């Protein structure tokens, strides 16, 4: 049977092909938990970082604690960065084979895999995390608009990075959305951006053009993130 591809479908395939060719190297995992005490859980990971993370062979690892927009109390996740998806999937991490003390500090929720669609500096801080829906045919323009917005905010004197990531093998929690992270060094820096935008900052036009390409926002939160481990 001859396969019929519509013009719209063909355009979508071409769009994803262009994006795939331009995507940066590397990948991430996020391991989502409900922590009984997020700070205590973080401190245990920090004190035992080599034991917990080294066997997975990540280039870096850390945590993000949801500061607002929680889905549940104690919401947070452990993230790991890898040089490639091959390295990521070659790891031997078993979330059930952990120290009993660590197991007692959290309940498992789900895990996810992420591929960045644009480059960004790995510099965890206070981050606005949104899950958004973008039509496939608009995705190249959306990424380009994100690059322009990032540059406009940086040119205005802000330490700011934008990450746009595609889920891969991440289950029903992430299907249909992109992960978009606006990364600043701390809460005060994020608050300054919000105040400037509502005061009519010049870079606000680039932000408006960026979000205009989103079909919908599925989730919106602030997260306090930090790095706990780096490979030697």
């Amino acid at each position: 049977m001859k396969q019929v591809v519509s013009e719209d479908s063909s355009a979508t395939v071409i769009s994803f092909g262009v994006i795939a060719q331009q995507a940066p190297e590397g990948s991430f995992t996020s391991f989502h938990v409900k922590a009984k005490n997020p700070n205590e859980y973080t401190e245990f990971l920090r004190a035992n970082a080599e034991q917990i993370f080294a066997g997975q062979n990540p280039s870096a690892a850390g945590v993000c604690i949801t500061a607002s927009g929680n889905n549940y109390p104690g919401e947070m996740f452990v993230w790991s960065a890898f040089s490639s998806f091959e390295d990521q999937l070659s790891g031997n991490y078993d979330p059930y084979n952990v120290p009993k003390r660590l197991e007692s500090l959290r309940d498992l929720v789900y895990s996810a895999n992420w591929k960045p669609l644009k480059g960004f500096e790995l510099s965890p801080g206070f981050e606005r995390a949104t899950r958004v829906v973008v039509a496939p045919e608009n995705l190249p323009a959306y990424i380009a608009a994100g690059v322009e917005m990032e540059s406009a905010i940086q040119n205005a004197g802000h330490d700011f990075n934008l990450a746009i990531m595609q889920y891969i093998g991440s289950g029903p929690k992430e299907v249909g959305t992109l992960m978009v992270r606006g990364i600043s060094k701390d809460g005060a820096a994020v608050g300054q951006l919000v105040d400037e935008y509502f005061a009519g900052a010049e870079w606000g036009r680039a932000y408006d053009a960026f979000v205009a390409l989103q079909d919908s926002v599925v989730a919106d939160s602030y997260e306090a993130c930090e790095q706990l481990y780096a490979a030697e």
Side-chain angles (χ1 to χ4, degrees):
M1 179 182 294
K2 182 178 180 180
Q3 183 178 13
V4 178
V5 179
S6 69
E7 292 183 3
D8 289 342
S9 297
S10 177
T12 299
V13 171
I14 293 171
S15 296
F16 275 117
V18 171
I19 291 166
Q21 293 171 15
Q22 296 176 348
E25 294 182 352
S27 63
F28 291 83
T29 62
S30 58
F31 183 65
H32 299 255
V33 304
K34 180 178 182 179
K36 296 175 174 61
N37 183 320
N39 292 327
E40 184 179 357
Y41 183 52
T42 298
E43 290 310 312
F44 185 91
L45 292 175
R46 191 194 313 279
N48 299 276
E50 185 70 26
Q51 174 189 358
I52 293 170
F53 295 116
Q56 305 171 50
N57 199 33
S59 57
V63 299
C64 289
I65 300 173
T66 304
S68 67
N70 306 59
N71 290 297
Y72 49 84
E75 182 178 7
M76 64 180 294
F77 67 86
V78 182
W79 58 265
S80 298
F82 296 85
S83 59
S84 70
F85 221 87
E86 179 181 2
D87 286 346
Q88 176 178 320
L89 296 184
S90 297
N92 56 4
Y93 179 62
D94 180 356
Y96 299 99
N97 184 24
V98 296
K100 291 297 183 183
R101 176 58 180 155
L102 179 61
E103 189 176 30
S104 71
L105 292 173
R106 47 70 165 161
D107 295 320
L108 309 185
V109 181
Y110 73 102
S111 62
N113 307 302
W114 302 96
K115 176 62 183 178
L117 300 182
K118 69 170 288 295
F120 68 99
E121 180 183 356
L122 182 58
S123 181
F126 201 80
E127 309 182 8
R128 185 181 182 186
T130 54
R131 266 83 163 177
V132 305
V133 177
V134 176
E137 63 270 21
N138 291 332
L139 192 50
Y142 183 71
I143 295 171
V147 172
E148 290 186 16
M149 181 192 72
E150 180 184 61
S151 295
I153 293 175
Q154 290 174 348
N155 291 338
H158 295 279
D159 182 359
F160 176 83
N161 287 287
L162 180 72
I164 302 174
M165 301 188 194
Q166 168 73 52
Y167 65 88
I168 300 179
S170 297
K173 293 282 188 180
E174 308 296 353
V175 168
T177 65
L178 299 174
M179 165 65 77
V180 181
R181 307 188 71 87
I183 306 166
S184 299
K185 63 179 181 179
D186 53 33
V190 172
Q192 184 180 10
L193 284 174
V194 174
D195 290 339
E196 283 189 12
Y197 174 79
F198 283 100
E202 182 72 18
W203 59 259
R205 291 187 292 180
Y207 173 83
D208 291 340
F210 176 60
V211 299
L213 290 166
Q214 297 171 179
D215 293 322
S216 62
V217 177
V218 176
D220 185 9
S221 63
Y222 281 124
E223 297 173 356
C225 302
E226 61 176 310
Q227 183 172 328
L228 303 178
Y229 170 84
E232 296 181 357

